Amino acid sequence: MKKRGIFSGILLTGFGLYFLFERLSLFPMLHTWPTLLLIIGIALLGQAYIGKEYANILAGIVLVGLGSHFHLITLFPAWPNDISMFVLIIAIGLLFQYQKTKQALLPTILFFLLAAAFLFSNQLKNATNLFTTGIESLLNFWPLAFIVLGLYLLFVKKA
């Protein structure tokens, strides 16, 4: 198998199956745009892992993750449907890319921490009700931590 045609081959096969199933009225729950995201993401992951173009891992994981997320929202009403899932998907993509490239460990860890903070923010808020006055005022300014960390990475840390 030529490594150049992996992306195109998977993409054309996936789209062909998608449109064939649509014509034959098979799997009607998959005739949605999240399925197209899944197909493109799988093609990118095939190019990344089979074609050894590891730069495609993040984009592939993000597209597969978003496609899966939008399908899972319709299947499971309790599935989280907020920014936390998008941050978690990006963190998973960064983790898989780090596994192959050994680069960007700090952003990977930061995205996982951010995803955990978003996922459990309601529980954290309920747990801190005893200290509402001081902690709530600090929680209003949490974006400043991102600004400070971003400026540090831009101007101080040279690596």
Side-chain angles (χ1 to χ4, degrees):
M1 180 190 304
K2 291 185 179 180
K3 291 184 179 182
R4 277 190 328 212
I6 294 169
F7 176 77
S8 302
I10 294 173
L11 193 66
L12 289 173
T13 303
F15 282 160
L17 287 170
Y18 175 83
F19 291 119
L20 180 66
F21 289 162
E22 188 176 48
R23 290 263 178 187
L24 299 175
S25 298
L26 298 173
F27 308 111
M29 67 283 208
L30 295 178
H31 300 159
T32 59
W33 63 270
T35 304
L36 298 175
L37 291 179
L38 278 167
I39 293 168
I40 297 168
I42 290 169
L44 283 169
L45 288 174
Q47 184 68 31
Y49 284 104
I50 299 169
K52 300 206 184 316
E53 293 182 20
Y54 300 129
N56 292 325
I57 292 173
L58 179 61
I61 294 285
V62 167
L63 289 175
V64 167
L66 288 176
S68 301
H69 170 71
F70 289 120
H71 277 299
L72 290 171
I73 289 172
T74 60
L75 294 174
F76 303 107
W79 188 262
N81 187 15
D82 58 4
I83 190 74
S84 63
M85 289 307 297
F86 300 120
V87 176
L88 181 62
I89 291 167
I90 293 170
I92 292 169
L94 285 171
L95 179 66
F96 276 85
Q97 190 165 353
Y98 171 77
Q99 178 188 7
K100 287 294 185 183
T101 63
K102 302 297 183 218
Q103 295 177 351
L105 180 61
L106 180 62
T108 302
I109 293 169
L110 291 175
F111 268 92
F112 270 113
L113 291 173
L114 182 62
F118 282 149
L119 278 171
F120 302 112
S121 63
N122 288 337
Q123 289 86 345
L124 288 173
K125 208 172 208 180
N126 291 339
T128 59
N129 276 343
L130 299 173
F131 311 103
T132 54
T133 56
I135 292 177
E136 268 189 35
S137 62
L138 287 175
L139 288 176
N140 289 333
F141 296 102
W142 66 266
L144 290 175
F146 288 144
I147 294 169
V148 170
L149 185 60
L151 291 173
Y152 171 77
L153 291 173
L154 284 173
F155 297 111
V156 177
K157 185 176 183 200
K158 302 290 182 190

